[in-house]
mmCIF file of all heavy atoms in Angstrom:
data_model
loop_
_atom_site.group_PDB
_atom_site.id
_atom_site.type_symbol
_atom_site.label_atom_id
_atom_site.label_comp_id
_atom_site.label_asym_id
_atom_site.label_seq_id
_atom_site.Cartn_x
_atom_site.Cartn_y
_atom_site.Cartn_z
ATOM 1 N N ASN A 1 0.844 -1.254 0.017
ATOM 2 C CA ASN A 1 -0.054 -0.016 0.000
ATOM 3 C C ASN A 1 0.909 1.211 -0.006
ATOM 4 O O ASN A 1 1.786 1.294 0.683
ATOM 5 C CB ASN A 1 -0.879 -0.008 1.267
ATOM 6 C CG ASN A 1 -1.759 -1.080 1.226
ATOM 7 O OD1 ASN A 1 -2.509 -1.467 0.332
ATOM 8 N ND2 ASN A 1 -1.757 -1.971 2.376
ATOM 9 N N PHE A 2 0.484 2.226 -0.760
ATOM 10 C CA PHE A 2 1.229 3.451 -0.901
ATOM 11 C C PHE A 2 1.271 4.174 0.549
ATOM 12 O O PHE A 2 2.116 4.971 0.803
ATOM 13 C CB PHE A 2 0.684 4.382 -2.021
ATOM 14 C CG PHE A 2 0.924 3.859 -3.432
ATOM 15 C CD1 PHE A 2 -0.176 3.450 -4.173
ATOM 16 C CD2 PHE A 2 2.205 3.753 -3.885
ATOM 17 C CE1 PHE A 2 0.055 2.937 -5.452
ATOM 18 C CE2 PHE A 2 2.408 3.262 -5.130
ATOM 19 C CZ PHE A 2 1.338 2.899 -5.906
ATOM 20 N N ALA A 3 0.223 4.021 1.238
ATOM 21 C CA ALA A 3 0.046 4.629 2.549
ATOM 22 C C ALA A 3 1.069 4.161 3.541
ATOM 23 O O ALA A 3 1.189 4.746 4.548
ATOM 24 C CB ALA A 3 -1.349 4.563 3.138
ATOM 25 N N ASN A 4 1.650 2.978 3.283
ATOM 26 C CA ASN A 4 2.688 2.355 4.222
ATOM 27 C C ASN A 4 4.086 2.912 4.128
ATOM 28 O O ASN A 4 5.000 2.438 4.845
ATOM 29 C CB ASN A 4 2.573 0.906 4.124
ATOM 30 C CG ASN A 4 1.329 0.239 4.556
ATOM 31 O OD1 ASN A 4 0.690 0.834 5.356
ATOM 32 N ND2 ASN A 4 1.014 -0.934 4.134
ATOM 33 N N GLY A 5 4.353 3.679 3.116
ATOM 34 C CA GLY A 5 5.755 4.128 3.054
ATOM 35 C C GLY A 5 5.654 5.338 1.910
ATOM 36 O O GLY A 5 4.769 5.775 1.391
ATOM 37 N N ALA A 6 7.004 5.733 1.760
ATOM 38 C CA ALA A 6 7.221 6.814 0.770
ATOM 39 C C ALA A 6 7.087 6.310 -0.631
ATOM 40 O O ALA A 6 7.529 5.138 -0.870
ATOM 41 C CB ALA A 6 8.611 7.407 0.935
ATOM 42 N N SER A 7 6.572 7.080 -1.514
ATOM 43 C CA SER A 7 6.447 6.808 -2.918
ATOM 44 C C SER A 7 6.935 7.857 -3.745
ATOM 45 O O SER A 7 6.834 9.084 -3.435
ATOM 46 C CB SER A 7 4.874 6.406 -3.096
ATOM 47 O OG SER A 7 4.371 5.509 -2.414
ATOM 48 N N ALA A 8 7.364 7.440 -4.999
ATOM 49 C CA ALA A 8 7.975 8.579 -5.789
ATOM 50 C C ALA A 8 7.664 8.250 -7.249
ATOM 51 O O ALA A 8 7.267 7.233 -7.692
ATOM 52 C CB ALA A 8 9.416 8.560 -5.577
ATOM 53 N N TRP A 9 7.990 9.313 -8.086
ATOM 54 C CA TRP A 9 8.012 9.135 -9.556
ATOM 55 C C TRP A 9 9.353 9.481 -10.082
ATOM 56 O O TRP A 9 10.032 10.431 -9.646
ATOM 57 C CB TRP A 9 7.007 10.120 -10.199
ATOM 58 C CG TRP A 9 5.519 9.762 -9.994
ATOM 59 C CD1 TRP A 9 4.732 10.018 -8.960
ATOM 60 C CD2 TRP A 9 4.768 8.881 -10.775
ATOM 61 N NE1 TRP A 9 3.438 9.626 -9.157
ATOM 62 C CE2 TRP A 9 3.497 8.783 -10.226
ATOM 63 C CE3 TRP A 9 5.032 8.185 -11.940
ATOM 64 C CZ2 TRP A 9 2.434 7.996 -10.850
ATOM 65 C CZ3 TRP A 9 4.043 7.371 -12.621
ATOM 66 C CH2 TRP A 9 2.804 7.300 -11.998
ATOM 67 N N PHE A 10 9.840 8.698 -10.946
ATOM 68 C CA PHE A 10 11.129 8.888 -11.699
ATOM 69 C C PHE A 10 10.836 8.878 -13.171
ATOM 70 O O PHE A 10 9.859 8.507 -13.565
ATOM 71 C CB PHE A 10 12.189 7.704 -11.389
ATOM 72 C CG PHE A 10 12.522 7.650 -9.884
ATOM 73 C CD1 PHE A 10 11.829 7.107 -8.976
ATOM 74 C CD2 PHE A 10 13.901 8.161 -9.551
ATOM 75 C CE1 PHE A 10 12.280 7.019 -7.672
ATOM 76 C CE2 PHE A 10 14.404 8.004 -8.261
ATOM 77 C CZ PHE A 10 13.569 7.477 -7.297
ATOM 78 N N ARG A 11 11.867 9.418 -13.858
ATOM 79 C CA ARG A 11 11.686 9.344 -15.390
ATOM 80 C C ARG A 11 12.989 9.267 -16.100
ATOM 81 O O ARG A 11 14.057 9.534 -15.456
ATOM 82 C CB ARG A 11 11.056 10.741 -15.839
ATOM 83 C CG ARG A 11 11.907 11.940 -15.740
ATOM 84 C CD ARG A 11 11.167 13.128 -16.223
ATOM 85 N NE ARG A 11 11.944 14.372 -16.274
ATOM 86 C CZ ARG A 11 11.515 15.538 -16.421
ATOM 87 N NH1 ARG A 11 10.262 15.842 -16.760
ATOM 88 N NH2 ARG A 11 12.286 16.638 -16.493
ATOM 89 N N GLN A 12 13.004 8.721 -17.178
ATOM 90 C CA GLN A 12 14.147 8.492 -17.985
ATOM 91 C C GLN A 12 13.894 8.763 -19.417
ATOM 92 O O GLN A 12 13.070 8.135 -20.061
ATOM 93 C CB GLN A 12 14.645 7.067 -17.873
ATOM 94 C CG GLN A 12 16.043 6.852 -18.468
ATOM 95 C CD GLN A 12 16.624 5.501 -18.077
ATOM 96 O OE1 GLN A 12 15.932 4.492 -17.742
ATOM 97 N NE2 GLN A 12 17.857 5.416 -18.183
ATOM 98 N N ALA A 13 14.601 9.765 -19.962
ATOM 99 C CA ALA A 13 14.517 10.065 -21.362
ATOM 100 C C ALA A 13 15.514 9.268 -22.159
ATOM 101 O O ALA A 13 16.468 8.653 -21.633
ATOM 102 C CB ALA A 13 14.845 11.530 -21.587
ATOM 103 N N PRO A 14 15.336 9.031 -23.484
ATOM 104 C CA PRO A 14 16.219 8.206 -24.357
ATOM 105 C C PRO A 14 17.649 8.705 -24.195
ATOM 106 O O PRO A 14 17.843 9.894 -24.423
ATOM 107 C CB PRO A 14 15.484 8.318 -25.693
ATOM 108 C CG PRO A 14 14.195 8.656 -25.456
ATOM 109 C CD PRO A 14 14.060 9.525 -24.213
ATOM 110 N N GLY A 15 18.518 7.865 -23.973
ATOM 111 C CA GLY A 15 19.940 8.164 -23.963
ATOM 112 C C GLY A 15 20.421 8.872 -22.647
ATOM 113 O O GLY A 15 21.392 9.377 -22.521
ATOM 114 N N LYS A 16 19.463 9.111 -21.759
ATOM 115 C CA LYS A 16 19.684 9.837 -20.590
ATOM 116 C C LYS A 16 19.598 8.915 -19.344
ATOM 117 O O LYS A 16 18.979 7.901 -19.318
ATOM 118 C CB LYS A 16 18.745 11.061 -20.368
ATOM 119 C CG LYS A 16 18.805 12.013 -21.516
ATOM 120 C CD LYS A 16 20.171 12.664 -21.722
ATOM 121 C CE LYS A 16 20.008 13.680 -22.902
ATOM 122 N NZ LYS A 16 21.233 14.394 -23.201
ATOM 123 N N ALA A 17 20.161 9.453 -18.203
ATOM 124 C CA ALA A 17 20.150 8.706 -16.922
ATOM 125 C C ALA A 17 18.739 8.947 -16.291
ATOM 126 O O ALA A 17 18.121 9.968 -16.543
ATOM 127 C CB ALA A 17 21.232 9.183 -15.977
ATOM 128 N N ARG A 18 18.453 7.937 -15.532
ATOM 129 C CA ARG A 18 17.120 8.084 -14.793
ATOM 130 C C ARG A 18 17.199 9.265 -13.688
ATOM 131 O O ARG A 18 18.315 9.350 -13.125
ATOM 132 C CB ARG A 18 16.905 6.808 -14.088
ATOM 133 C CG ARG A 18 15.522 6.732 -13.325
ATOM 134 C CD ARG A 18 15.411 5.397 -12.507
ATOM 135 N NE ARG A 18 16.406 5.329 -11.399
ATOM 136 C CZ ARG A 18 16.664 4.255 -10.761
ATOM 137 N NH1 ARG A 18 15.985 3.100 -10.907
ATOM 138 N NH2 ARG A 18 17.567 4.325 -9.740
ATOM 139 N N GLU A 19 16.269 9.917 -13.643
ATOM 140 C CA GLU A 19 16.297 11.073 -12.513
ATOM 141 C C GLU A 19 15.017 10.989 -11.713
ATOM 142 O O GLU A 19 13.826 10.674 -12.181
ATOM 143 C CB GLU A 19 16.355 12.399 -13.222
ATOM 144 C CG GLU A 19 15.328 12.675 -14.341
ATOM 145 C CD GLU A 19 15.586 14.054 -14.975
ATOM 146 O OE1 GLU A 19 16.517 14.648 -14.656
ATOM 147 O OE2 GLU A 19 14.840 14.385 -15.922
ATOM 148 N N GLY A 20 15.115 11.431 -10.486
ATOM 149 C CA GLY A 20 13.901 11.459 -9.655
ATOM 150 C C GLY A 20 13.142 12.644 -9.933
ATOM 151 O O GLY A 20 13.659 13.821 -10.398
ATOM 152 N N VAL A 21 11.785 12.684 -9.880
ATOM 153 C CA VAL A 21 10.937 13.702 -10.235
ATOM 154 C C VAL A 21 10.263 14.233 -8.958
ATOM 155 O O VAL A 21 10.380 15.482 -8.651
ATOM 156 C CB VAL A 21 9.849 13.301 -11.325
ATOM 157 C CG1 VAL A 21 8.982 14.473 -11.554
ATOM 158 C CG2 VAL A 21 10.544 12.763 -12.564
ATOM 159 N N ALA A 22 9.628 13.449 -8.236
ATOM 160 C CA ALA A 22 8.805 13.915 -7.020
ATOM 161 C C ALA A 22 8.668 12.659 -6.061
ATOM 162 O O ALA A 22 8.678 11.530 -6.417
ATOM 163 C CB ALA A 22 7.427 14.457 -7.479
ATOM 164 N N CYS A 23 8.401 13.007 -4.813
ATOM 165 C CA CYS A 23 8.203 11.986 -3.910
ATOM 166 C C CYS A 23 7.257 12.500 -2.818
ATOM 167 O O CYS A 23 7.152 13.655 -2.511
ATOM 168 C CB CYS A 23 9.585 11.739 -3.272
ATOM 169 S SG CYS A 23 9.441 10.410 -1.912
ATOM 170 N N ILE A 24 6.463 11.499 -2.226
ATOM 171 C CA ILE A 24 5.599 11.890 -1.075
ATOM 172 C C ILE A 24 5.921 10.931 -0.009
ATOM 173 O O ILE A 24 5.939 9.690 -0.171
ATOM 174 C CB ILE A 24 4.074 11.732 -1.609
ATOM 175 C CG1 ILE A 24 3.203 12.061 -0.543
ATOM 176 C CG2 ILE A 24 3.858 10.311 -2.206
ATOM 177 C CD1 ILE A 24 1.713 12.350 -0.916
ATOM 178 N N SER A 25 6.135 11.493 1.132
ATOM 179 C CA SER A 25 6.516 10.614 2.308
ATOM 180 C C SER A 25 5.290 9.909 2.907
ATOM 181 O O SER A 25 4.161 10.196 2.491
ATOM 182 C CB SER A 25 7.110 11.488 3.434
ATOM 183 O OG SER A 25 6.221 12.251 3.939
ATOM 184 N N ARG A 26 5.442 9.045 3.759
ATOM 185 C CA ARG A 26 4.279 8.302 4.368
ATOM 186 C C ARG A 26 3.362 9.333 5.032
ATOM 187 O O ARG A 26 2.092 9.116 4.926
ATOM 188 C CB ARG A 26 4.822 7.232 5.393
ATOM 189 C CG ARG A 26 3.706 6.524 6.124
ATOM 190 C CD ARG A 26 4.223 5.441 7.032
ATOM 191 N NE ARG A 26 3.167 4.808 7.747
ATOM 192 C CZ ARG A 26 3.306 3.836 8.576
ATOM 193 N NH1 ARG A 26 4.610 3.332 8.863
ATOM 194 N NH2 ARG A 26 2.303 3.289 9.215
ATOM 195 N N PRO A 27 3.884 10.268 5.838
ATOM 196 C CA PRO A 27 2.947 11.289 6.463
ATOM 197 C C PRO A 27 2.334 12.233 5.406
ATOM 198 O O PRO A 27 1.334 12.984 5.693
ATOM 199 C CB PRO A 27 3.822 12.047 7.264
ATOM 200 C CG PRO A 27 5.023 11.204 7.701
ATOM 201 C CD PRO A 27 5.301 10.522 6.263
ATOM 202 N N GLY A 28 2.714 12.210 4.181
ATOM 203 C CA GLY A 28 2.218 12.985 3.091
ATOM 204 C C GLY A 28 2.967 14.263 2.648
ATOM 205 O O GLY A 28 2.416 15.065 1.832
ATOM 206 N N PHE A 29 4.188 14.527 3.081
ATOM 207 C CA PHE A 29 4.898 15.563 2.675
ATOM 208 C C PHE A 29 5.423 15.297 1.347
ATOM 209 O O PHE A 29 5.934 14.171 1.037
ATOM 210 C CB PHE A 29 6.123 15.849 3.660
ATOM 211 C CG PHE A 29 5.555 16.242 5.122
ATOM 212 C CD1 PHE A 29 5.687 15.318 6.112
ATOM 213 C CD2 PHE A 29 5.087 17.479 5.318
ATOM 214 C CE1 PHE A 29 5.244 15.609 7.419
ATOM 215 C CE2 PHE A 29 4.634 17.862 6.663
ATOM 216 C CZ PHE A 29 4.731 16.867 7.572
ATOM 217 N N THR A 30 5.568 16.324 0.477
ATOM 218 C CA THR A 30 5.946 16.197 -0.898
ATOM 219 C C THR A 30 7.332 16.935 -1.151
ATOM 220 O O THR A 30 7.454 18.031 -0.603
ATOM 221 C CB THR A 30 4.866 16.567 -1.887
ATOM 222 O OG1 THR A 30 4.537 17.872 -1.615
ATOM 223 C CG2 THR A 30 3.648 15.755 -1.724
ATOM 224 N N THR A 31 8.041 16.492 -2.052
ATOM 225 C CA THR A 31 9.308 17.144 -2.522
ATOM 226 C C THR A 31 9.342 16.914 -4.037
ATOM 227 O O THR A 31 8.891 15.955 -4.491
ATOM 228 C CB THR A 31 10.568 16.493 -1.851
ATOM 229 O OG1 THR A 31 10.756 15.062 -2.194
ATOM 230 C CG2 THR A 31 10.493 16.683 -0.285
ATOM 231 N N TYR A 32 10.110 17.849 -4.634
ATOM 232 C CA TYR A 32 10.302 17.753 -6.049
ATOM 233 C C TYR A 32 11.886 18.036 -6.453
ATOM 234 O O TYR A 32 12.386 19.026 -5.962
ATOM 235 C CB TYR A 32 9.522 18.830 -6.759
ATOM 236 C CG TYR A 32 8.016 18.686 -6.549
ATOM 237 C CD1 TYR A 32 7.348 19.189 -5.449
ATOM 238 C CD2 TYR A 32 7.218 17.838 -7.365
ATOM 239 C CE1 TYR A 32 6.056 18.932 -5.153
ATOM 240 C CE2 TYR A 32 5.894 17.652 -7.071
ATOM 241 C CZ TYR A 32 5.298 18.168 -6.053
ATOM 242 O OH TYR A 32 4.001 17.955 -5.830
ATOM 243 N N ASP A 33 12.351 17.078 -7.073
ATOM 244 C CA ASP A 33 13.879 17.078 -7.273
ATOM 245 C C ASP A 33 14.205 18.162 -8.280
ATOM 246 O O ASP A 33 15.317 18.778 -8.121
ATOM 247 C CB ASP A 33 14.346 15.797 -7.779
ATOM 248 C CG ASP A 33 14.697 14.868 -6.548
ATOM 249 O OD1 ASP A 33 14.382 15.067 -5.501
ATOM 250 O OD2 ASP A 33 15.445 13.852 -6.950
ATOM 251 N N LEU A 34 13.441 18.329 -9.287
ATOM 252 C CA LEU A 34 13.869 19.197 -10.437
ATOM 253 C C LEU A 34 13.166 20.605 -10.309
ATOM 254 O O LEU A 34 11.884 20.669 -10.219
ATOM 255 C CB LEU A 34 13.514 18.520 -11.793
ATOM 256 C CG LEU A 34 14.017 17.108 -12.004
ATOM 257 C CD1 LEU A 34 13.447 16.571 -13.180
ATOM 258 C CD2 LEU A 34 15.565 17.120 -11.940
#
């Protein structure tokens, strides 16, 4: 369950490294890497 821990979105463009996009902690706090 997403409610049991932190969840995030990553993305990867062709020929590029994977990068973090956004994350939401278990308590619901959000952060954005880019």
